[in-house]
Every structure is written in structure tokens, then in C-alpha cells.
């Protein structure tokens, strides 16, 4: 038997302490709530709901809930009214809460024979819920678009490799200086596009690293071969040092190659002729970790940029995408390592990576 109805502001009609607690619980719930009996008549309502109805709580008592909802504008064919047979409803209930989108739900109490003994009607403002639903919908669409872009870019990379290969062949055969320059420009542009695609694919599909013992020194030597002529053409000095005791480091070779490419590219971008790039590997024996640094004598990083430097799409470069350092950090973190960037006391900056060797 539901007895805990109380007109707003009155406490003496409550029959016992349990009624009072139940009433207070109803009032404390930040939803509109009405309790109705087997005949659909309201036996209790909290002030959240009576305010929506614009009627005092005690005036609603004994009122047929369905009739009240219809009077408040819910159309007669609304699914909320098709729920007598025990089918409960949860869904939109516009226009009950005026300008706000509202949701309602009904829950029934059943007797031993399955007959309805009344139930609870709950109404809530669904603005947050709708915003959340819209955000999820948008995120799903973006995820699909991201996947499509990843597939498309993956396919684009194959013809690019072919073009690059033939351009490299052409470079060997050309003698005309201007034609050679054109080919160099094309190769550089291709490298940029390739790097962008690789970073994008890494972003779209980060994947767990496949760590295998790797000779870090050898990996860097291979990278330097690729950048040797660029460094020479730009008049940038290069130094490399490696700790003699460094053991093989368990790395995803391909992913770490991408890290080094991104860091070296950044360093080359900011270092002018006469400057120097230094790569070093140290072995932190007591921690069994490898420390790798890339140091340049470029322009350094401004105070404003420093906190945002690893954010995706943060870039100060006209042709930059702002994915390079973000991808580096993702990869390093997936290896259980750390990456930091700091300005040098004199000139330029240094990126430092530490990763566990085993
Ligand atoms: N060695 C560096 N010296 C000075 N600034 C740097 C250095 N490395 C990165 N930055 C700054 O950090 C920003 C982000 O670098 P990040 O590599 O993520 O993107 P990007 O180089 O701009 O574009 P891309 O996605 O093509 O790499 C750069 O735009 C630049 O402002
Ligand atoms: Mg970069």
C-alpha cells in the first residue's frame, strides 16, 4: 500500500518515519517522479514533476496520470500510453518539459497474478542525453571516415612508391642541371607526402608494438644514409655517438624508424647552414634503459608552444601537419618509454627518449 503522499511543505500528514524517508528520497531524486496505483491514479508525486505540470503536488493527488499527461500536450497515440499491458516505455516524451527535450519512462509493479498494481512514472530533461547521443553519433561517423581515409591513403602509397622509384632512376640518367632540380623537388614533395601518410596511418591504427631485440646503433646508421645528402646540401653538420655497452633494445623497428624520421625531419627543418645535429645513444645500466637524444642548433621552442608541442595537429609550420611529435609520443609510450623536449641552454633544442631495453 502506497501511503507516502504529502502535499508540498506539509509534514504532519506522513504516517510514520518510513513514509517520511520515502518522501524525502522522492524529493532528493533529481528527476520528475509520480507513483500511480493500479487504476492509474497518482498517489505520490515529487515537486520536480509537479513543477513541470505547473500544478501543486496536493492538487495532482488522485488525478489520472494518463489524463494529466494528455492535458499537458502528450498526443493520445504516444507510445507511453500503449504500455498498460506491462510493456514498459523509455524514450522521448516531448513536449512535456517545454523547450527542453524530455525523456520519460514507466515501470510497473505487478501482483502475484501478473496484474498491474500501479507503477512509477519518471520524467527527465534529456538535453545532456541528447547531446551525448549526438556526440556518439558524430564520433562513430568520424571513425568510419577515418577508416576510409586510412584505406584510401594506404592505396595511394603504392603508386607513390613506384613514382619515387622511377624518379630516382631518372635522376641518375639526367645531366641537365635544371631538370635535375625539378626531379629533386618532386622527390622531396613525395617524401613529405609519404611521411604524412605514414604518420596518419600510425595515428588511425596505433597498434601494439611488435618488440624484438634491435640494434639501435645500426637503425640510426641506416637512417643517416637516407639523410646524408640532404644534410650535406643544407650545410648541416652531423654527429653521432653510441655507448659501447648498449645491449640490443626490444623495439618495434618499423615504428622506431618512424620516430627517428620525425625527429630528424624536425631538426633539419629548423637548423640552418653551419648548424649541427647530434644524435646520441646512452645506456642507463642501473635502469637497463636506453636513452636516445636528438639535439639541434635551430630556433628552439617558444614558451607558448612548449606545452602544446605533443598535441595532435599543433604546428607552427606552413606545410606541417602537427602529427610528427604526437605520433612519436604515442609510439614511445606504447614501448613503456618517455619522450621529452627542452630548449638547450645555448641554441636549439633537444628531444630525449628513454625506453626499457628488455
Ligand atoms: N627541433 C625543433 N625545434 C623547434 N621547434 C620544433 C622542433 N620540433 C618540433 N618543433 C615545433 O613543434 C611543432 C610540432 O612538431 P611536429 O613534428 O609534431 O609537427 P610539424 O613538424 O609541424 O608537422 P609534421 O606533421 O609534418 O611533422 C612544430 O610545428 C614546431 O613548431
Ligand atoms: Mg614534424
Amino acid at each position: 500500500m502506497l501511503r507516502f503522499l504529502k502535499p508540498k511543505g506539509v509534514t504532519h500528514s506522513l504516517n510514520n518515519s518510513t513514509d517520511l524517508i520515502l518522501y524525502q528520497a522522492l524529493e532528493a531524486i533529481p528527476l520528475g517522479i509520480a507513483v500511480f496505483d493500479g487504476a492509474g491514479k497518482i498517489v505520490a508525486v515529487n515537486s520536480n514533476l509537479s513543477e513541470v505540470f505547473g500544478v501543486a503536488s496536493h492538487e495532482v493527488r488522485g488525478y489520472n496520470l494518463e489524463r494529466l499527461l494528455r492535458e499537458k500536450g502528450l498526443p493520445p497515440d504516444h507510445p507511453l500510453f500503449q504500455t498498460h499491458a506491462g510493456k514498459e516505455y523509455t524514450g522521448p516524451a516531448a513536449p512535456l518539459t517545454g523547450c527542453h527535450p524530455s525523456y520519460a519512462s514507466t515501470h510497473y509493479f505487478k501482483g502475484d497474478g501478473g496484474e498491474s498494481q500501479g507503477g512509477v512514472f519518471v520524467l527527465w530533461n534529456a538535453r545532456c542525453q541528447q547531446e551525448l547521443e549526438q556526440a556518439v553519433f558524430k564520433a562513430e561517423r568520424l571513425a568510419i571516415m577515418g577508416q576510409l581515409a586510412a584505406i584510401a591513403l594506404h592505396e595511394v602509397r603504392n603508386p607513390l612508391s613506384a613514382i619515387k622509384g622511377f624518379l630516382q632512376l631518372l635522376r641518375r640518367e639526367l645531366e641537365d642541371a635544371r631538370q635535375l632540380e625539378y626531379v629533386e623537388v618532386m622527390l622531396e614533395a613525395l617524401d613529405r607526402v609519404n611521411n604524412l601518410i605514414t604518420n596518419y596511418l600510425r595515428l588511425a591504427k596505433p597498434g601494439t608494438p611488435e618488440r624484438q631485440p634491435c640494434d639501435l646503433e645500426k637503425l640510426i646508421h641506416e637512417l643517416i644514409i637516407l639523410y646524408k645528402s640532404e644534410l650535406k646540401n643544407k650545410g648541416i653538420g652531423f654527429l653521432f655517438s653510441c655507448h659501447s655497452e648498449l645491449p640490443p633494445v626490444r623495439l618495434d623497428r618499423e615504428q622506431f624508424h618512424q620516430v627517428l624520421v620525425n625527429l630528424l625531419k624536425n631538426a633539419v627543418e629548423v637548423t640552418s647552414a653551419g648548424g649541427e645535429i647530434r644524435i646520441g645513444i646512452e645506456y642507463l645500466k642501473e635502469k637497463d634503459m636506453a636513452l636516445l637524444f636528438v639535439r639541434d642548433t635551430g630556433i628552439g621552442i617558444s614558451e607558448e608552444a612548449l606545452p602544446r608541442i605533443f598535441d595532435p595537429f599543433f604546428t607552427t609550420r606552413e606545410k606541417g601537419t602537427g602529427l610528427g611529435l604526437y605520433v612519436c609520443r604515442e609510439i614511445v609510450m606504447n614501448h613503456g618509454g618517455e619522450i621529452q623536449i627542452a630548449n638547450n641552454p645555448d641554441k636549439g633544442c633537444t628531444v630525449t627518449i628513454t625506453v626499457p631495453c628488455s
Side-chain angles (χ1 to χ4, degrees):
M1 174 69 185
L2 295 157
R3 283 186 290 112
F4 53 93
L5 181 74
K6 181 195 82 70
K8 197 175 181 185
V10 181
T11 51
H12 59 258
S13 67
L14 295 169
N15 294 322
N16 57 40
S17 61
T18 315
D19 284 357
L20 182 61
I21 290 169
L22 285 172
Y23 169 72
Q24 283 173 341
L26 264 194
E27 283 299 303
I29 297 169
L31 307 165
I33 298 180
V35 183
F36 52 89
D37 65 13
K41 282 188 183 155
I42 296 174
V43 290
V45 65
N46 69 357
S47 32
N48 271 330
L49 190 61
S50 58
E51 272 163 28
V52 170
F53 288 154
V55 195
S57 305
H58 64 278
E59 283 176 31
V60 183
R61 185 184 189 181
Y63 219 86
N64 183 282
L65 177 66
E66 199 172 311
R67 217 174 86 206
L68 188 66
L69 291 171
R70 282 204 187 124
E71 280 173 17
K72 292 294 157 193
L74 217 58
D77 57 348
H78 194 282
L80 190 70
F81 300 127
Q82 322 298 321
T83 58
H84 314 90
K87 248 173 71 190
E88 298 184 334
Y89 173 83
T90 299
L96 286 179
T97 43
C99 56
H100 299 305
S102 54
Y103 264 51
S105 67
T106 45
H107 309 272
Y108 288 92
F109 311 139
K110 284 187 194 146
D112 292 342
E115 77 286 4
S116 170
Q117 289 194 329
V120 189
F121 169 80
V122 185
L123 181 75
W124 67 95
N125 180 336
R127 193 166 58 104
C128 295
Q129 184 164 347
Q130 285 204 336
E131 278 171 5
L132 208 66
E133 279 172 4
Q134 277 162 7
V136 170
F137 181 63
K138 204 168 153 195
E140 276 172 359
R141 267 192 11 212
L142 284 175
I144 293 169
M145 277 163 62
Q147 278 171 14
L148 278 178
I151 294 167
L153 286 178
H154 196 267
E155 290 311 306
V156 165
R157 209 157 43 168
N158 296 338
L160 284 185
S161 306
I163 296 171
K164 187 176 173 183
F166 285 119
L167 278 176
Q168 281 167 334
L169 281 180
L170 204 61
R171 181 168 59 182
R172 268 187 241 154
E173 286 174 22
L174 286 177
E175 279 162 17
D176 182 273
R178 260 187 49 198
Q179 287 177 344
L180 263 171
E181 194 188 324
Y182 295 155
V183 171
E184 286 298 343
V185 171
M186 285 193 268
L187 279 169
E188 208 177 292
L190 273 178
D191 272 347
R192 258 204 322 271
V193 176
N194 245 324
N195 196 45
L196 165 70
I197 293 177
T198 312
N199 276 337
Y200 181 86
L201 292 178
R202 181 78 58 221
L203 181 82
K205 197 168 161 270
T208 9
E210 283 179 25
R211 296 177 67 195
Q212 273 167 8
C214 165
D215 183 343
L216 204 49
E217 186 178 0
K218 196 167 155 220
L219 185 69
I220 291 171
H221 274 303
E222 284 169 9
L223 183 83
I224 299 312
I225 294 170
L226 293 176
Y227 282 87
K228 215 170 173 176
S229 59
E230 188 173 350
L231 289 165
K232 199 171 159 205
N233 290 345
K234 291 193 170 167
I236 301 172
F238 181 77
L239 279 171
F240 174 55
S241 59
C242 181
H243 196 291
S244 56
E245 287 178 35
L246 182 78
V249 186
R250 289 192 67 243
L251 297 175
D252 186 313
R253 223 183 124 78
E254 199 205 322
Q255 290 190 3
F256 245 77
H257 177 85
Q258 187 61 27
V259 169
L260 291 165
V261 166
N262 286 346
L263 297 184
L264 199 57
K265 271 184 173 293
N266 283 351
V268 170
E269 289 274 349
V270 292
T271 308
S272 32
E276 182 188 88
I277 295 175
R278 197 182 279 235
I279 296 185
I281 319 171
E282 290 166 17
Y283 178 42
L284 309 176
K285 204 170 180 175
E286 64 289 2
K287 295 184 190 163
D288 192 29
M289 287 184 110
L291 182 149
L292 183 148
F293 67 85
V294 179
R295 183 188 164 102
D296 63 59
T297 53
I299 50 173
I301 302 153
S302 68
E303 286 292 315
E304 305 88 69
L306 211 51
R308 303 176 55 199
I309 206 130
F310 290 105
D311 290 353
F313 306 111
F314 172 78
T315 182
T316 57
R317 291 184 191 132
E318 203 188 317
K319 289 181 184 163
T321 59
L323 287 179
L325 286 178
Y326 175 74
V327 165
C328 288
R329 195 186 56 175
E330 289 293 294
I331 293 175
V332 171
M333 280 169 59
N334 284 344
H335 279 77
E338 272 182 31
I339 182 167
Q340 281 165 354
I341 191 161
N343 283 320
N344 302 327
D346 46 352
K347 209 173 177 215
C349 67
T350 303
V351 181
T352 311
I353 291 173
T354 44
V355 271
C357 289
S358 43

